[in-house]
């Protein structure tokens, strides 16, 4: 016998014969002729297709949800980057005088605190010079 399929002489049974892949075994199955073909009426014909369509629509909906989730994550990452940039700008504005472009008292206090703690840690001396110029506007305008 060769690989293939055939119907019994009586027509009552259908046989399928296949050789196993990389195996000395041969598989022969017998199926009654009445169950060989699927019925063409009733739930047996539309139910499998309905399940396949339902799963396909579900997979498409799930794919769209994943795409929307990725879009949301991308928008959130951009918003976070914009927020970090705005926060950096605010930190600079809080430490620099807008008119003169020089550092203000807040910056001086933060720097002084760090320098004094470093001097205490190293047990070194520190000096601070502060100037208060009266009528600075007259000097600046000239």
């Amino acid at each position: 016998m060769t690989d293939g399929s055939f119907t019994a002489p009586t027509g009552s049974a259908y046989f399928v014969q296949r050789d196993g892949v990389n195996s000395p075994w041969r598989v022969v199955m017998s199926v009654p002729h009445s169950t060989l073909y699927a019925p063409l009426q009733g739930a047996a014909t539309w139910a499998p297709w309905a399940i396949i369509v339902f799963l396909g629509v579900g997979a498409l909906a799930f794919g769209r949800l994943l795409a929307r989730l990725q879009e949301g994550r991308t928008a959130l990452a951009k918003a976070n980057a914009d927020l970090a940039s705005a926060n950096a700008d605010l930190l600079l504005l809080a430490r620099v005088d807008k008119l003169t472009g020089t550092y203000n008292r807040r910056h001086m206090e933060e720097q002084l605190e760090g320098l004094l703690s470093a001097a205490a840690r190293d047990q070194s001396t520190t000096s601070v010079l502060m100037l208060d110029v009266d009528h600075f506007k007259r000097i600046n305008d000239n």
Side-chain angles (χ1 to χ4, degrees), residues 51-113:
I51 292 170
I52 290 171
V53 168
F54 177 75
L55 291 175
V57 169
L60 289 174
F62 186 68
R64 286 188 53 103
L65 285 174
L66 287 178
R68 286 181 58 197
L69 178 64
Q70 185 61 36
E71 290 170 6
R73 285 183 176 171
T74 302
L76 182 61
K78 183 184 180 314
N80 282 337
D82 292 345
L83 186 59
S85 175
N87 282 337
D89 292 343
L90 285 175
L91 282 174
L92 183 64
L93 287 173
R95 285 171 177 73
V96 175
D97 181 76
K98 188 173 182 174
L99 181 63
T100 62
T102 60
Y103 288 113
N104 61 16
R105 179 180 172 175
R106 175 179 291 158
H107 179 76
M108 189 250 337
E109 288 175 350
E110 290 172 355
Q111 293 297 315
L112 188 59
E113 182 180 329

